Amino acid sequence: MRWSQTFLPTMKETPADAEIPSHQLMLRAGLIRQLMAGAYTYLPLGLRALKKAEAIVREEMDAAGAIELLMPALQPIDLFERTGRKSAFGNVLINFNIRRGDRTVHLALGPTHEEVITDLIAKHVSSYRQLPLCLYQIQTKFRNEERPRFGVLRTSEFLMKDAYSFHTSLESLNETYQKMYRAYCRIFARCGLDYLPVEAESGPIGGDASHEFMIPAANGEDQIVFCKKTGYAANLERAETGRQTPAIAAPADAQPLQKVSTPNVGSIDAVCKFLKCSPQQMVKTLIYVADGKPVGVLLRGDHEANEGKIRRVLEAKDLQLADPSTIFQVTGAPVGFAGPVGLKCEFIADHDVPLVANAVTGANEEDMHLTGVNVVRDYALKTTYDLRNAAAGDPSPRGEGTLELVHGIEVGHVFKLGTKYSVSLDAVYDDEKEFRQPMIMGCYGIGVNRIIAGLAETRFDDNGLIWPLAVAPYSVLLCPLGVTDTETMELTERLYAELQANGVDVLLDDRDQRPGFKFKDADLIGIPLRVVIGGKGLKEGLIEVKWRSEAEAKKLPVDGIGPAILKLLADRRAEEAARVPG
RNA sequence: CGGGAUGUAGCUCAGCUUGGCUAGAGCGCCUGGUUUGGGACCAGGAAGUCGCAGGUUCGAAUCCUGUCAUCCCGACCA
C-alpha cells in the first residue's frame, strides 16, 4: 500500500480526551477514531492489525478442533427471559421494540451468544453420538456499558471470539477445556502479548472451572494476585492466601480496655484521624445477614472483605451486608460502632484479627469506641479463617513465596458452564441407555480488540507503538528519502514489487516529505521493519534497515537487498514463534 | 447512578475573573518560493452558528437557568 493512497491520519499532538497510552497512541497512529463514548471506528491501519489478530485466533481455534459459524447479533428477547439473563444483565443488555406490521417484536443485541447457540444445538443434536461439539464465531457484541472508558479497552460494541462446547461428560468437557486453554496460550503468545492465565471465580461447577487470561498493565481494570516463586496466579476475587490460624492468645503487653468517646466518628478513616491510630491497629466488624441470620465478620481495619470466602465459610446461599435496623439490633448502635466485645450475634474472624494487639474497635454503643481490645481477655475466638481479599506480601497458598498484586487487562476467559443453559433451554440428548440428559457446556471468549489495545498498552516507547511482526498492520515500511529522485524511486519501486511478490505486507511512504517528518511518523505507527532508501546511504550503495524494536540500524548493500529483507523477516518470525508454547 | 472536570478552527489551547472594536495563537490545511537524515523556513490564504436552548443587558465566548456531549474517580461489569 502506498501511504499517499490510503487513509492514515496521524497526529502530532495528543487528543485531550485520551489518558492512557493505548488510547493516545491508537488515536495518534491513525488506528482508530471515536464516534461516541464506547464506540470506535477502526481506520485502515487499525483494521489491518485487528484482522491479523483475528486470523491468529481463527487458526488456533481451527487447530484446536473448534468449528466456525456465525450467529445473528439480533436476538429475540424471549431467549434471555428463558435463561433469566434479561434481569441478570439488566441495563447492560441492549434491547428494544420494533414494529413489524401490526405486531411489536422485542429484540436484543447479543451481549454474548450462550442462548442462541444452546437453542440451536437443542434443536439439532439429540444423541450422544453427535457429541462432543465445539463451535465458535468471531462477531460483534453489544453491551450497554454504564461507563465506557479507556478508549478501546471498554466499549459498548466490540469484537469477540466466543466458543461454546457441548459434552456428555465432565471428562469430555475437561478435555476440551484443556485444548482451549492451550489454544489461548498459543494465541496470546503468537500475538506477542505478555499474558498471565489466572484462576477466576469458578461459578456453578466449582473447583478449577474458570481461568482468565490477563495482560499485566498498570491501567488494567482487574486486579490479579500472583506469586513469582510458585507461579500461583488468580484474580483478586478468587485469590487465596497461605495464611494459617495463628495462636489465639492475649499479648504480654496487654493494655487495659478503655471506652473512649468518638462522637460522629464511624468510618475507619475518621476513627484513625480522631484517635491518631492506624487502620492496622483497628479491628472492623462488618455485620452480614447470611440466609436470614445476622453474623459479625471481623477483619483488620485496612483489609477488604471477600464475600465469596465469607459465604463459603458460613456455607450460606445468600449473603448481604446488614441493613441499619439489623445492625442496631445486634450492636445497640447505628452503623459505624460495631465491635466484638458484647456483640449480640455470632461472629467469625479473619486470620489476622487475633494478631492485632491492643486493638481499636467499635464499642457497640453510639459514638463510642474501645481501645486496648485483646482476644481471649475481651472476646473469644475458637479459630480464624481466610475472609479477606489477598494483599501484597501475603504468603502464597502454595506453601512458599509471597503474593504480589498487579493490574491486568482481561483478554480471554475460559469457563466450565455446566448445565445452566442446557437445562433452561432444553438442550438434552439421549445417552447409550436411552436416558435423557442435559448437555454439559463450556464457553470460551476472547476480546479481539483488547488484543490490539493490550499490545498498544504494553509495547511502545516515547516515539510511538512497537508492533510484533505477527500482528503489525504492515511488516515493512519502505521509506524513500527524496521521492523526486529517479534512482531512489526506481530502486524503491523494484523493492516494493519484489517484497509484495513474496507475500510481504509493505507500506510505501511515497509522500514528498522531509526525512525527519517521515521518521517520526514511522516510529509513531510502529511498523516492525523500516527500510530507508536514498540520501547518504544510497550514495555509498547502501540501504538502511532498522527494526522498530531496536535502537541501531543496519546498512545493507543494494545488491541482494530483497532477499536480505526476506531473511530478516523470516528470522524474526522464527524468533516470535519460538516463544509460542507447543 | 454518586462525585469532579471540560466544551472556542481538523488537533492543542488562550480569551471568561471585571460583558464592549473585526474572537486569537501554535500545529495542521491551501498557494508560491527556498529547503531536504529526526515533525524546516519565508510570504500570502482559507477555515469558527464560541456545544445547544432560553434568559439578563443598549451589548454575551464572557453573567444566570436549563440541556446535551465528552473525560476522570467511585459504584456496576452473566
Side-chain angles (χ1 to χ4, degrees):
Chain A
M1 178 59 71
R2 289 163 202 274
W3 198 308
S4 64
Q5 312 274 299
T6 186
F7 178 54
L8 177 33
T10 58
M11 282 189 279
K12 190 150 80 173
E13 287 179 285
T14 304
D17 280 347
E19 290 226 337
I20 65 170
S22 59
H23 192 195
Q24 295 178 343
L25 288 168
M26 288 178 80
L27 286 167
R28 288 223 294 136
L31 264 48
I32 54 167
R33 283 296 180 268
Q34 184 179 49
L35 176 63
M36 59 179 186
Y40 287 82
T41 296
Y42 277 76
L43 301 176
L45 200 67
L47 182 62
R48 288 187 68 96
L50 197 64
K51 293 247 181 210
K52 293 252 177 123
E54 193 183 317
I56 289 172
V57 170
R58 185 171 281 118
E59 276 177 35
E60 293 296 335
M61 291 313 289
D62 290 347
I67 313 296
E68 187 170 9
L69 82 171
L70 182 62
M71 292 177 272
L74 280 177
Q75 308 177 4
I77 197 74
D78 162 66
L79 280 179
F80 288 93
E81 280 166 352
R82 286 170 67 191
T83 57
R85 288 215 298 177
K86 182 172 186 286
S87 60
F89 271 118
N91 195 35
V92 171
L93 184 69
I94 298 177
N95 65 103
F96 43 85
N97 289 303
I98 58 167
R99 306 223 13 106
R100 279 185 184 160
D102 57 355
R103 291 178 303 141
T104 298
V105 182
H106 195 171
L107 298 178
L109 290 177
T112 170
H113 279 71
E114 277 86 356
E115 281 82 359
V116 178
I117 191 111
T118 307
D119 179 62
L120 179 78
I121 296 303
K123 285 173 175 155
H124 299 284
V125 173
S126 50
S127 160
Y128 73 96
R129 293 171 189 272
Q130 294 166 285
L131 296 171
L133 204 49
C134 185
L135 298 160
Y136 79 97
Q137 65 173 349
I138 298 175
Q139 196 231 25
T140 303
K141 298 285 188 277
F142 299 88
R143 294 180 191 181
N144 178 34
E145 288 297 340
E146 294 292 322
R147 190 183 153 210
R149 62 183 127 178
F150 299 141
V152 121
L153 276 176
R154 189 164 199 83
T155 53
S156 292
E157 179 181 336
F158 56 96
L159 194 64
M160 182 170 166
K161 186 285 301 176
D162 48 326
Y164 308 90
S165 66
F166 299 85
H167 309 270
T168 59
S169 69
L170 275 177
E171 292 71 39
S172 169
L173 169 64
N174 288 339
E175 198 179 306
T176 297
Y177 187 87
Q178 283 311 316
K179 274 188 196 164
M180 288 294 130
Y181 185 101
R182 278 199 301 275
Y184 275 37
C185 292
R186 289 182 52 84
I187 287 166
F188 300 126
R190 283 183 64 183
C191 289
L193 285 166
D194 181 17
Y195 68 97
L196 190 64
V198 309
E199 293 178 17
E201 209 43 58
S202 55
I205 290 198
D208 194 14
S210 169
H211 288 84
E212 290 168 346
F213 287 78
M214 297 285 192
I215 304 167
N219 289 304
E221 288 187 90
D222 295 281
Q223 290 212 286
I224 45 188
V225 169
F226 82 111
C227 167
K228 274 195 188 117
K229 195 154 188 183
T230 60
Y232 176 80
N235 74 16
L236 189 59
E237 281 285 287
R238 158 83 190 202
E240 292 165 19
T241 67
R243 294 138 67 228
Q244 304 288 322
T245 299
I248 300 177
D253 61 341
Q255 294 164 7
L257 187 67
Q258 277 189 327
K259 193 185 277 187
V260 294
S261 167
T262 51
N264 285 320
V265 179
S267 72
I268 296 280
D269 272 358
V271 173
C272 285
K273 227 176 254 170
F274 190 81
L275 295 177
K276 298 193 173 55
C277 64
S278 68
Q280 287 89 329
Q281 285 173 262
M282 296 194 58
V283 169
K284 68 177 161 190
T285 306
L286 303 170
I287 310 295
Y288 279 91
V289 176
D291 294 340
K293 209 174 101 194
V295 184
V297 173
L298 269 47
L299 296 171
R300 205 172 78 187
D302 57 324
H303 288 150
E304 286 169 30
N306 182 306
E307 295 193 2
K309 293 178 180 178
I310 296 169
R311 184 179 296 120
R312 258 167 267 145
V313 165
L314 295 172
E315 293 173 7
K317 282 200 189 75
D318 180 62
L319 184 77
Q320 286 175 20
L321 273 172
D323 58 275
S325 73
T326 309
I327 289 174
F328 191 84
Q329 228 174 340
V330 297
T331 68
V335 179
F337 301 96
V341 183
L343 190 64
K344 291 193 283 275
C345 67
E346 284 178 37
F347 55 86
I348 54 175
D350 180 72
H351 293 316
D352 290 330
V353 168
L355 299 175
V356 185
N358 301 312
V360 177
T361 76
N364 296 321
E365 190 179 329
E366 185 163 5
D367 292 343
M368 299 300 266
H369 274 76
L370 297 173
T371 63
V373 177
N374 287 293
V375 72
V376 182
R377 187 192 68 189
D378 305 318
Y379 65 98
L381 283 182
K382 281 202 195 75
T383 184
T384 60
Y385 307 93
D386 181 11
L387 299 177
R388 63 164 171 85
N389 284 342
D394 281 340
S396 160
R398 299 237 176 114
E400 51 173 351
T402 52
L403 297 178
E404 292 177 45
L405 213 55
V406 292
H407 286 269
I409 298 164
E410 184 188 349
V411 282
H413 196 171
V414 291
F415 197 91
K416 295 178 192 172
L417 278 175
T419 56
K420 173 174 162 68
Y421 296 97
S422 47
V423 166
S424 54
L425 294 170
D426 211 24
V428 295
Y429 64 95
D430 283 344
D431 67 14
E432 297 91 322
K433 295 181 181 133
E434 288 189 44
F435 285 120
R436 186 154 287 197
Q437 307 278 6
M439 296 176 200
I440 299 171
M441 293 174 60
C443 70
Y444 319 92
I446 289 181
V448 185
N449 314 261
R450 282 187 176 179
I451 292 178
I452 302 305
L455 282 169
E457 190 62 35
T458 54
R459 299 185 48 142
F460 64 90
D461 62 16
D462 288 347
N463 293 316
L465 296 167
I466 305 174
W467 292 109
L469 203 47
V471 187
Y474 293 93
S475 303
V476 174
L477 177 65
L478 288 185
C479 200
L481 301 184
V483 295
T484 49
D485 181 66
T486 321
E487 190 193 348
T488 302
M489 287 319 286
E490 272 176 10
L491 183 54
T492 302
E493 290 290 350
R494 214 177 330 130
L495 187 54
Y496 181 52
E498 184 180 351
L499 291 173
Q500 282 190 324
N502 282 282
V504 178
D505 294 324
V506 194
L507 180 62
L508 168 56
D509 188 354
D510 57 344
R511 296 172 302 171
D512 188 7
Q513 289 288 355
R514 298 160 62 87
F517 184 95
K518 289 190 171 194
F519 293 158
K520 285 289 186 190
D521 258 354
D523 285 349
L524 179 58
I525 68 172
I527 304 302
L529 193 63
R530 189 187 77 188
V531 178
V532 178
I533 302 141
K536 41 194 196 196
L538 194 58
K539 282 184 197 124
E540 299 159 27
L542 295 173
I543 285 179
E544 182 187 289
V545 172
K546 181 179 171 299
W547 288 108
R548 177 65 179 87
S549 54
E550 289 164 18
E552 296 302 316
K554 298 181 190 42
K555 299 229 165 126
L556 301 177
V558 171
D559 259 6
I561 184 69
I565 290 171
L566 292 174
K567 172 84 165 51
L568 281 172
L569 292 172
D571 289 350
R572 177 57 66 101
R573 265 191 208 103
E575 274 172 45
E576 288 187 0
R579 289 196 285 268
V580 177

